[in-house]
Amino acid sequence: MMDTESIRSDFPILERRINGRRLAFLDSAASSQKPVQVLDAMADIYRNSYANVHRGAYTLSQEATEAYEEARHKVAVFLNAASDEEIIFTRSATAAMNLFAYGWGLNILKPGDRILTSVMEHHANIVPWHIIARHTGAELCYMELTDDYRLDMESARERFDERVKVVAVSGMSNVLGTMPPVDEIARLAREVGAVLLVDGAQLVPHAPVDVQTLGADFLGFSGHKMLGPTGIGVLWGRRELLESMEPAEGGGEMIRDVRLHDSDWAEVPHKFEAGTPPFVEAIGLGAAVDYLSAIGMDAVLEHDRDLTGYALERLAEVPGLSVQGPADTVDRGGAISFDLAGIHAHDVATILDQEGVAVRAGHHCAKPLLRSLGLTASTRASFYVYNVAEDVDALVDALAVARRIFGLDGA
Amino acid sequence: MALEELYREVILDHYRSPRNRQALGGANAVAEGNNPLCGDEVRIELLIEGDEVTAIGVTGHGCSISQASGSMMGDAVKGRSIEAIRTLTGRFKGMMSIDGAGDPGLDPSRPGAVLGDLEALQGVRKFPVRIKCANLPWTTLEEAIKGFEEG
Ligand SMILES: Cc1ncc(COP(=O)(O)O)c(C=O)c1O
């Protein structure tokens, strides 16, 4: 059992009152809140050890560089990566996936090749492939969903053939909460010789991930959804693949030598980190990783799952509410999207906000998925380590207010 | 409470039973507007005869505010001159500015100077993120008229 009381006391923002109400923050899938430990780690660098990294021979620069590389080490340990060099710091999950798309996809894909993804992807794992497909002449193909909102592995199996060179799939859908069988997808990808990228933007914050058993070749995620700051993300890749991958950006720090007409790249991971990196943010992410490790990712997953189970049960009491996502908590994370008959998602979110309940409304950057579900917008509640059953109760109570305002409570 | 001011009965009524929700066969001015952030979509079709809008079709989907605003707008502009519609659009957008500071507050005898039912949308001002929902049909209407005038 997690000590949510003590966890909550680490998040100053949770004391805020919103429109006179207790804050029920249910939008961590968009971005999580930050504990004081992360805020302090970043403030400490700015106050005491700030200077550009990998440049100066002086004390401050050395301290900042050490703290930056220490953060890389923390992330490597968190993911059980084979070495620190497999951790590339990026600006975000979006930047991580673009780095892979440009560094790998752009250089190996040819006309007739296929990129295989799924309909439940975030735009960050679709749009880069549109661009790469246009540049290379490769074709983008999709794995579909079953009626219970899981990846349809039966039809997916047929999509795997020797034309498929890249498989890019989310480890957990930010809309449905679905966690597809990455191990099976990895096996299928290996059989046809394709490289597998897992979009870990939701998976890594919410479940234990060991990259040596996950089966993926690359994994991208953001710091800000896992208690860390904005402006930092990670692309993990297998060392031997990173060695042969081209950089997607050129600039300072990523070179060994520069001449007038060509240059040599630095070693992995630096060849992918052009320019001054967001090192204070990386250090903040390191503190977030410490915080999550102290709780234990198994406990985080179990906590999310308990709340999800409770929320699915309570939401079933709300008339006219339909959940888009698996109905049980098996292979499912704590993001619950729903439609409330007769009230548009934006109206739901506005009314909930007046009750202190923060949820996301819209297409969740997954327009192809929403379109395939016959929706243009939905409301999403999502959970993290600081959420408690009281937040779910506040959500259900606020939904009753929404129904009353729209004259739907049958009275 | 602000919520009751936002969701006035007249707004909910237009949301539930939108007026002018039709495809206009002979439309000679058409525009589509959308709000990429939230996905609200509106399509405006006009039949302009002389300098008058004689028929209007308002279709699309989205939240109660964008859809009710479009429905009420249709009622308000039908049978009006382009000039009066321009005046009305100016007043509406003025009312929708933060604190209504942009409201030109015109002489009520001027055609298009009276908002009537549309004033029910005033409550939206207290919810700044929703102002663009209320404005969406009006911006799209302006585009349809502009397209018509530019041929
Ligand atoms: C599944 C998934 N992939 C990718 C992203 C993109 O993350 P970011 O905006 O931090 O780059 C998100 C976040 O919205 C997400 O939920």
PDB file of all heavy atoms in Angstrom, chain A residues 29-30 92-95 97 122 124 170 172-174 199 201-202 222 224-225, ligand 1:
ATOM      1  N   ALA A  29      -2.427  12.487 -17.244  1.00  0.00           N
ATOM      2  CA  ALA A  29      -2.025  11.917 -18.529  1.00  0.00           C
ATOM      3  C   ALA A  29      -1.562  13.029 -19.470  1.00  0.00           C
ATOM      4  O   ALA A  29      -0.750  12.797 -20.356  1.00  0.00           O
ATOM      5  CB  ALA A  29      -3.174  11.134 -19.161  1.00  0.00           C
ATOM      6  N   ALA A  30      -2.069  14.246 -19.270  1.00  0.00           N
ATOM      7  CA  ALA A  30      -1.600  15.382 -20.073  1.00  0.00           C
ATOM      8  C   ALA A  30      -0.278  15.881 -19.515  1.00  0.00           C
ATOM      9  O   ALA A  30       0.682  16.089 -20.258  1.00  0.00           O
ATOM     10  CB  ALA A  30      -2.633  16.506 -20.080  1.00  0.00           C
ATOM     11  N   SER A  92      11.400  16.244 -25.391  1.00  0.00           N
ATOM     12  CA  SER A  92      10.097  15.681 -25.036  1.00  0.00           C
ATOM     13  C   SER A  92       9.957  14.310 -25.682  1.00  0.00           C
ATOM     14  O   SER A  92      10.815  13.901 -26.466  1.00  0.00           O
ATOM     15  CB  SER A  92       8.982  16.574 -25.588  1.00  0.00           C
ATOM     16  OG  SER A  92       9.099  16.646 -27.002  1.00  0.00           O
ATOM     17  N   ALA A  93       8.841  13.644 -25.406  1.00  0.00           N
ATOM     18  CA  ALA A  93       8.531  12.395 -26.098  1.00  0.00           C
ATOM     19  C   ALA A  93       8.382  12.669 -27.595  1.00  0.00           C
ATOM     20  O   ALA A  93       8.860  11.908 -28.440  1.00  0.00           O
ATOM     21  CB  ALA A  93       7.233  11.790 -25.553  1.00  0.00           C
ATOM     22  N   THR A  94       7.724  13.765 -27.914  1.00  0.00           N
ATOM     23  CA  THR A  94       7.539  14.145 -29.317  1.00  0.00           C
ATOM     24  C   THR A  94       8.891  14.257 -30.011  1.00  0.00           C
ATOM     25  O   THR A  94       9.086  13.715 -31.111  1.00  0.00           O
ATOM     26  CB  THR A  94       6.785  15.492 -29.404  1.00  0.00           C
ATOM     27  OG1 THR A  94       5.519  15.334 -28.763  1.00  0.00           O
ATOM     28  CG2 THR A  94       6.604  15.931 -30.845  1.00  0.00           C
ATOM     29  N   ALA A  95       9.830  14.949 -29.370  1.00  0.00           N
ATOM     30  CA  ALA A  95      11.157  15.125 -29.967  1.00  0.00           C
ATOM     31  C   ALA A  95      11.874  13.779 -30.053  1.00  0.00           C
ATOM     32  O   ALA A  95      12.613  13.528 -31.014  1.00  0.00           O
ATOM     33  CB  ALA A  95      11.974  16.123 -29.145  1.00  0.00           C
ATOM     34  N   MET A  97      10.542  10.826 -30.515  1.00  0.00           N
ATOM     35  CA  MET A  97      10.015  10.030 -31.624  1.00  0.00           C
ATOM     36  C   MET A  97      10.378  10.635 -32.973  1.00  0.00           C
ATOM     37  O   MET A  97      10.622   9.906 -33.935  1.00  0.00           O
ATOM     38  CB  MET A  97       8.524   9.815 -31.429  1.00  0.00           C
ATOM     39  CG  MET A  97       8.384   8.848 -30.242  1.00  0.00           C
ATOM     40  SD  MET A  97       6.773   8.291 -29.871  1.00  0.00           S
ATOM     41  CE  MET A  97       6.033   9.737 -29.235  1.00  0.00           C
ATOM     42  N   HIS A 122      -1.066   8.456 -30.445  1.00  0.00           N
ATOM     43  CA  HIS A 122      -1.035   9.909 -30.271  1.00  0.00           C
ATOM     44  C   HIS A 122      -0.472  10.514 -31.568  1.00  0.00           C
ATOM     45  O   HIS A 122       0.334   9.872 -32.250  1.00  0.00           O
ATOM     46  CB  HIS A 122      -0.092  10.199 -29.099  1.00  0.00           C
ATOM     47  CG  HIS A 122      -0.028  11.629 -28.656  1.00  0.00           C
ATOM     48  ND1 HIS A 122       0.713  12.581 -29.310  1.00  0.00           N
ATOM     49  CD2 HIS A 122      -0.602  12.257 -27.610  1.00  0.00           C
ATOM     50  CE1 HIS A 122       0.598  13.745 -28.677  1.00  0.00           C
ATOM     51  NE2 HIS A 122      -0.196  13.570 -27.637  1.00  0.00           N
ATOM     52  N   ALA A 124       1.821  12.366 -32.006  1.00  0.00           N
ATOM     53  CA  ALA A 124       3.292  12.376 -31.974  1.00  0.00           C
ATOM     54  C   ALA A 124       3.885  11.097 -32.560  1.00  0.00           C
ATOM     55  O   ALA A 124       5.069  11.055 -32.887  1.00  0.00           O
ATOM     56  CB  ALA A 124       3.791  12.569 -30.536  1.00  0.00           C
ATOM     57  N   SER A 170       2.307   2.505 -29.286  1.00  0.00           N
ATOM     58  CA  SER A 170       2.260   3.039 -27.932  1.00  0.00           C
ATOM     59  C   SER A 170       2.221   1.913 -26.902  1.00  0.00           C
ATOM     60  O   SER A 170       1.539   0.908 -27.096  1.00  0.00           O
ATOM     61  CB  SER A 170       1.014   3.914 -27.778  1.00  0.00           C
ATOM     62  OG  SER A 170       0.849   4.258 -26.431  1.00  0.00           O
ATOM     63  N   MET A 172       1.040   2.416 -23.932  1.00  0.00           N
ATOM     64  CA  MET A 172      -0.236   2.625 -23.249  1.00  0.00           C
ATOM     65  C   MET A 172      -0.932   3.796 -23.934  1.00  0.00           C
ATOM     66  O   MET A 172      -0.347   4.862 -24.089  1.00  0.00           O
ATOM     67  CB  MET A 172      -0.024   2.943 -21.765  1.00  0.00           C
ATOM     68  CG  MET A 172      -1.312   3.371 -21.055  1.00  0.00           C
ATOM     69  SD  MET A 172      -1.017   3.865 -19.324  1.00  0.00           S
ATOM     70  CE  MET A 172      -2.470   4.881 -19.045  1.00  0.00           C
ATOM     71  N   SER A 173      -2.183   3.569 -24.339  1.00  0.00           N
ATOM     72  CA  SER A 173      -2.923   4.621 -25.024  1.00  0.00           C
ATOM     73  C   SER A 173      -3.307   5.734 -24.049  1.00  0.00           C
ATOM     74  O   SER A 173      -3.816   5.457 -22.962  1.00  0.00           O
ATOM     75  CB  SER A 173      -4.189   4.044 -25.660  1.00  0.00           C
ATOM     76  OG  SER A 173      -5.121   5.077 -25.913  1.00  0.00           O
ATOM     77  N   ASN A 174      -3.072   6.985 -24.448  1.00  0.00           N
ATOM     78  CA  ASN A 174      -3.432   8.110 -23.582  1.00  0.00           C
ATOM     79  C   ASN A 174      -4.939   8.354 -23.572  1.00  0.00           C
ATOM     80  O   ASN A 174      -5.437   9.117 -22.763  1.00  0.00           O
ATOM     81  CB  ASN A 174      -2.703   9.381 -24.029  1.00  0.00           C
ATOM     82  CG  ASN A 174      -3.071   9.814 -25.427  1.00  0.00           C
ATOM     83  OD1 ASN A 174      -3.116   8.996 -26.337  1.00  0.00           O
ATOM     84  ND2 ASN A 174      -3.354  11.092 -25.605  1.00  0.00           N
ATOM     85  N   ASP A 199       6.242   3.989 -28.000  1.00  0.00           N
ATOM     86  CA  ASP A 199       5.917   5.300 -27.448  1.00  0.00           C
ATOM     87  C   ASP A 199       5.584   5.077 -25.975  1.00  0.00           C
ATOM     88  O   ASP A 199       4.516   4.577 -25.639  1.00  0.00           O
ATOM     89  CB  ASP A 199       4.722   5.895 -28.202  1.00  0.00           C
ATOM     90  CG  ASP A 199       4.202   7.168 -27.538  1.00  0.00           C
ATOM     91  OD1 ASP A 199       4.765   7.570 -26.490  1.00  0.00           O
ATOM     92  OD2 ASP A 199       3.243   7.752 -28.068  1.00  0.00           O
ATOM     93  N   ALA A 201       5.292   7.378 -23.618  1.00  0.00           N
ATOM     94  CA  ALA A 201       4.875   8.611 -22.939  1.00  0.00           C
ATOM     95  C   ALA A 201       3.926   8.331 -21.774  1.00  0.00           C
ATOM     96  O   ALA A 201       3.984   9.001 -20.744  1.00  0.00           O
ATOM     97  CB  ALA A 201       4.232   9.576 -23.937  1.00  0.00           C
ATOM     98  N   GLN A 202       3.049   7.323 -21.915  1.00  0.00           N
ATOM     99  CA  GLN A 202       2.143   6.961 -20.818  1.00  0.00           C
ATOM    100  C   GLN A 202       2.655   5.735 -20.063  1.00  0.00           C
ATOM    101  O   GLN A 202       2.442   5.616 -18.865  1.00  0.00           O
ATOM    102  CB  GLN A 202       0.731   6.669 -21.353  1.00  0.00           C
ATOM    103  CG  GLN A 202       0.049   7.849 -22.030  1.00  0.00           C
ATOM    104  CD  GLN A 202      -0.230   9.019 -21.088  1.00  0.00           C
ATOM    105  OE1 GLN A 202      -0.338   8.863 -19.877  1.00  0.00           O
ATOM    106  NE2 GLN A 202      -0.332  10.210 -21.654  1.00  0.00           N
ATOM    107  N   SER A 222       8.427  11.391 -22.063  1.00  0.00           N
ATOM    108  CA  SER A 222       8.591  12.763 -21.583  1.00  0.00           C
ATOM    109  C   SER A 222       8.767  12.788 -20.072  1.00  0.00           C
ATOM    110  O   SER A 222       8.178  11.973 -19.366  1.00  0.00           O
ATOM    111  CB  SER A 222       7.334  13.589 -21.893  1.00  0.00           C
ATOM    112  OG  SER A 222       7.348  14.052 -23.213  1.00  0.00           O
ATOM    113  N   HIS A 224       7.735  15.357 -18.164  1.00  0.00           N
ATOM    114  CA  HIS A 224       6.676  16.113 -17.476  1.00  0.00           C
ATOM    115  C   HIS A 224       5.444  15.293 -17.112  1.00  0.00           C
ATOM    116  O   HIS A 224       4.608  15.743 -16.342  1.00  0.00           O
ATOM    117  CB  HIS A 224       6.262  17.328 -18.315  1.00  0.00           C
ATOM    118  CG  HIS A 224       5.525  16.991 -19.564  1.00  0.00           C
ATOM    119  ND1 HIS A 224       4.153  16.941 -19.604  1.00  0.00           N
ATOM    120  CD2 HIS A 224       5.950  16.680 -20.807  1.00  0.00           C
ATOM    121  CE1 HIS A 224       3.775  16.618 -20.837  1.00  0.00           C
ATOM    122  NE2 HIS A 224       4.858  16.452 -21.591  1.00  0.00           N
ATOM    123  N   LYS A 225       5.332  14.091 -17.675  1.00  0.00           N
ATOM    124  CA  LYS A 225       4.198  13.235 -17.304  1.00  0.00           C
ATOM    125  C   LYS A 225       4.570  12.297 -16.166  1.00  0.00           C
ATOM    126  O   LYS A 225       3.772  11.451 -15.760  1.00  0.00           O
ATOM    127  CB  LYS A 225       3.740  12.410 -18.513  1.00  0.00           C
ATOM    128  CG  LYS A 225       3.139  13.246 -19.641  1.00  0.00           C
ATOM    129  CD  LYS A 225       2.705  12.350 -20.769  1.00  0.00           C
ATOM    130  CE  LYS A 225       2.565  13.074 -22.091  1.00  0.00           C
ATOM    131  NZ  LYS A 225       1.310  13.810 -22.219  1.00  0.00           N
TER     132      LYS A 225
HETATM  133  C1  LIG C   1       0.808   8.406 -25.794  1.00  0.00           C
HETATM  134  C2  LIG C   1       1.480   9.733 -25.944  1.00  0.00           C
HETATM  135  N1  LIG C   1       2.469   9.879 -26.842  1.00  0.00           N
HETATM  136  C3  LIG C   1       3.117  11.031 -27.004  1.00  0.00           C
HETATM  137  C4  LIG C   1       2.805  12.146 -26.266  1.00  0.00           C
HETATM  138  C5  LIG C   1       3.548  13.416 -26.515  1.00  0.00           C
HETATM  139  O1  LIG C   1       4.201  13.866 -25.374  1.00  0.00           O
HETATM  140  P1  LIG C   1       4.838  15.311 -25.341  1.00  0.00           P
HETATM  141  O2  LIG C   1       3.757  16.278 -25.691  1.00  0.00           O
HETATM  142  O3  LIG C   1       5.313  15.458 -23.939  1.00  0.00           O
HETATM  143  O4  LIG C   1       5.950  15.331 -26.320  1.00  0.00           O
HETATM  144  C6  LIG C   1       1.784  12.051 -25.323  1.00  0.00           C
HETATM  145  C7  LIG C   1       1.393  13.209 -24.516  1.00  0.00           C
HETATM  146  O5  LIG C   1       0.460  13.917 -24.724  1.00  0.00           O
HETATM  147  C8  LIG C   1       1.102  10.822 -25.162  1.00  0.00           C
HETATM  148  O6  LIG C   1       0.116  10.693 -24.277  1.00  0.00           O
END
